[in-house]
Amino acid sequence: MEKYLTVSALTKYIKYKFDKDPHLQSVLIKGELSNFKRHSSGHLYFAVKDEETVINAMMFKSQANSLAFDPKEGDQVFIEARVSVYERRGNYQIYVNKMQLDGVGNLYQKFEQLKLKLSKEGLFDKTHKKVIPRYPRKIAILTASTGAAIRDIQNTLYHRYPLVEQIKISTLVQGENAKFDIIEKLAYADQLDVDIIILGRGGGSIEDLWNFNEEDVVRAIFNCKTPVISAVGHETDTTLSDFVADVRAATPTQAAMISTPDQHDLLEALGQTQTILNRFIKQYLKQNYQKLEHYQNYYKFKQPTLLYEQHVQKRDDLDRLLHQTMSRKLELYNQQLTSIKQRLRYKNFKNTIQREQMTVKQLQHSLNHSISNRLKQKRQSFIHHLTLLNNLSPTNTMLRGYSIVHQNNEVVTSVKNLKTNDLIEVTMKDGSIDAIIEKVRWQENDRK
């Protein structure tokens, strides 16, 4: 029985062989990410596959933190890894040290990063979208001068709305210089006074369509004053030009359909409008014929004098009333005028003014005399009170030989407030002295 190995022993031996093989310590693998999971610990668990085979893989948090992109399901990647065995399940797997997107994957990463940047700037906001005119006069078509895209757009526009003028502007849509040509042709078309600009091309890989993901092209579309329809690639192809354009069309043919009405629909609508208009005109004429017939049979029209004779009589009545009213008013105003003239005779008016002037002079003289007497009395009273205040002034009192005694900044008015050895301040007319009380003498009346 000793010659039989346990499963654990066999697994450990195989793991030992893997770990000791120098060819398995660093292998370079190209494949597609599958079953991608990010554990709460920060470790990454996934599989790497191609058309025929799948290998389980793991990437520790320390290596995952140094990735330059955010891995996701379906990414095509280049991997540097170590091959080993996971003992618990007995499966061999790779432990990834480095991982990067392959060429196409890098484009997708760049696409997402630029999309996020421009979206934050507001270039894709609906508030910036311009309205596509319903009946355009001119449409500028920016695409390659040959190919299916230009033929599809031209044929669709011709069959749908032949009234529109097509301005074809040959534009590079692929290659190294296509970006600059697209920007230049957009600026040129924006100055042509067209109603719509269609920017389009046929389908292709992400590399073929990449010029329509360039930041400068996206900003050029955003800055156009003319509404822009993006028709790049097939329905499944999406570029940043689609997001910034005022309208995105899945195909060049759909762009032509979006930009114009269908002439067959217009003719049908015109026919319906004509039918409705004819019906309305007939109804309108019928109603007015009925009104005309009614007016023709109206009795007053058969006797025209009935239309104005009442008004003539009414006008005469109003004319007579107006004259009577004016006569009464004039008579009343004449009476009032006569009365005023009698009251305002010139001689009486002059005598009255003279009497009033004399009265004013007398009142003025009396007022001046009263004011003078009043001021004289007030001046004498002021001098009297000023003399009394001056006599009672402490300064005058000290000039007569008196002095003022203070104790603790308060005036001493009685010996009762003092006692032997108290400190006092004696203020005289020309200064002050500090003194000490040696003896207090009371008057006989105060002692009692």
Side-chain angles (χ1 to χ4, degrees), residues 405-412 417-418 422-425:
V405 179
H406 292 84
Q407 184 183 33
N408 298 327
N409 295 326
E410 293 184 359
V411 176
V412 179
N417 298 329
L418 300 173
D422 279 353
L423 295 174
I424 61 172
E425 179 184 356

Side-chain angles (χ1 to χ4, degrees), residues 282-298:
K282 290 179 180 179
Q283 185 67 25
Y284 181 80
L285 290 174
K286 182 179 178 181
Q287 292 175 355
N288 282 276
Y289 280 137
Q290 290 175 351
K291 289 182 180 180
L292 179 61
E293 185 178 356
H294 172 73
Y295 292 146
Q296 287 175 341
N297 296 325
Y298 191 52

Side-chain angles (χ1 to χ4, degrees), residues 387-399:
T387 303
L388 291 177
L389 286 173
N390 190 44
N391 291 334
L392 296 174
S393 169
T395 303
N396 287 337
T397 301
M398 287 187 290
L399 290 173

Side-chain angles (χ1 to χ4, degrees), residues 73-316:
E73 189 81 12
D75 281 349
Q76 296 289 334
V77 294
F78 295 124
I79 289 175
E80 179 185 334
R82 173 176 59 86
V83 184
S84 186
V85 175
Y86 183 46
E87 295 183 44
R88 184 174 180 181
R89 288 197 293 267
N91 296 333
Y92 91 91
Q93 65 181 37
I94 58 175
Y95 293 85
V96 179
N97 296 318
K98 297 179 181 179
M99 180 165 58
Q100 65 180 15
L101 289 168
D102 69 9
V104 175
N106 285 329
L107 287 180
Y108 279 116
Q109 180 186 3
K110 184 177 179 182
F111 176 90
E112 293 297 333
Q113 291 174 345
L114 184 56
K115 178 183 175 184
L116 179 62
K117 172 188 173 182
L118 298 177
S119 179
K120 288 182 178 180
E121 291 185 26
L123 268 69
F124 304 151
D125 291 352
K126 291 183 178 180
T127 54
H128 299 305
K129 305 297 183 185
K130 294 178 282 296
V131 178
I132 303 298
R134 187 173 182 182
Y135 304 106
R137 299 172 296 105
K138 299 179 183 179
I139 295 179
I141 306 169
L142 276 63
T143 188
S145 57
T146 60
I150 186 63
R151 291 195 302 272
D152 291 344
I153 294 174
Q154 285 183 301
N155 292 335
T156 304
L157 290 177
Y158 177 76
H159 288 98
R160 282 180 61 85
Y161 195 62
L163 296 178
V164 70
E165 179 183 350
Q166 301 181 31
I167 302 177
K168 299 179 288 295
I169 302 176
S170 179
T171 307
L172 295 176
V173 294
Q174 188 172 332
E176 183 178 354
N177 296 320
K179 177 181 75 170
F180 305 104
D181 194 54
I182 292 171
I183 295 172
E184 179 183 347
K185 298 303 172 54
L186 279 170
Y188 171 69
D190 201 29
Q191 303 297 322
L192 294 180
D193 190 30
V194 296
D195 299 300
I196 301 170
I197 298 174
I198 296 178
L199 177 62
R201 63 152 287 162
S205 66
I206 187 172
E207 294 92 341
D208 295 336
L209 304 179
W210 189 252
N211 287 291
F212 297 91
N213 292 322
E214 293 285 357
E215 181 175 355
D216 292 341
V217 172
V218 175
R219 294 189 183 278
I221 295 173
F222 180 80
N223 293 327
C224 280
K225 299 180 178 62
T226 308
V228 177
I229 298 177
S230 174
V232 179
H234 300 303
E235 186 170 357
T236 56
D237 298 323
T238 303
T239 65
L240 295 180
S241 295
D242 296 331
F243 292 106
V244 74
D246 299 293
V247 176
R248 187 249 176 175
T251 63
T253 299
Q254 189 185 38
M257 297 176 66
I258 291 173
S259 61
T260 56
D262 189 347
Q263 63 172 330
H264 301 293
D265 295 338
L266 291 176
L267 290 173
E268 183 179 353
L270 286 174
Q272 294 175 355
T273 303
Q274 185 178 13
T275 302
I276 295 172
L277 185 60
N278 289 336
R279 188 184 303 119
F280 172 78
I281 292 175
K282 290 179 180 179
Q283 185 67 25
Y284 181 80
L285 290 174
K286 182 179 178 181
Q287 292 175 355
N288 282 276
Y289 280 137
Q290 290 175 351
K291 289 182 180 180
L292 179 61
E293 185 178 356
H294 172 73
Y295 292 146
Q296 287 175 341
N297 296 325
Y298 191 52
Y299 75 98
K300 286 188 177 181
F301 289 135
K302 294 182 178 180
Q303 293 180 316
T305 57
L306 295 176
L307 293 172
Y308 62 84
E309 61 184 12
Q310 294 290 326
H311 296 287
V312 171
Q313 184 175 354
K314 184 177 181 181
R315 187 198 65 81
D316 292 340

Side-chain angles (χ1 to χ4, degrees), residues 352-365:
T352 302
I353 290 176
Q354 291 176 348
R355 288 196 301 272
E356 293 300 328
Q357 288 177 341
M358 291 296 295
T359 303
V360 168
K361 289 181 179 180
Q362 293 174 359
L363 291 173
Q364 186 176 10
H365 177 75

Side-chain angles (χ1 to χ4, degrees), residues 325-340:
T325 303
M326 290 179 62
S327 298
R328 287 196 297 270
K329 285 287 185 181
L330 287 173
E331 184 178 356
L332 177 62
Y333 290 151
N334 286 329
Q335 291 175 358
Q336 292 177 351
L337 181 59
T338 302
S339 176
I340 292 172

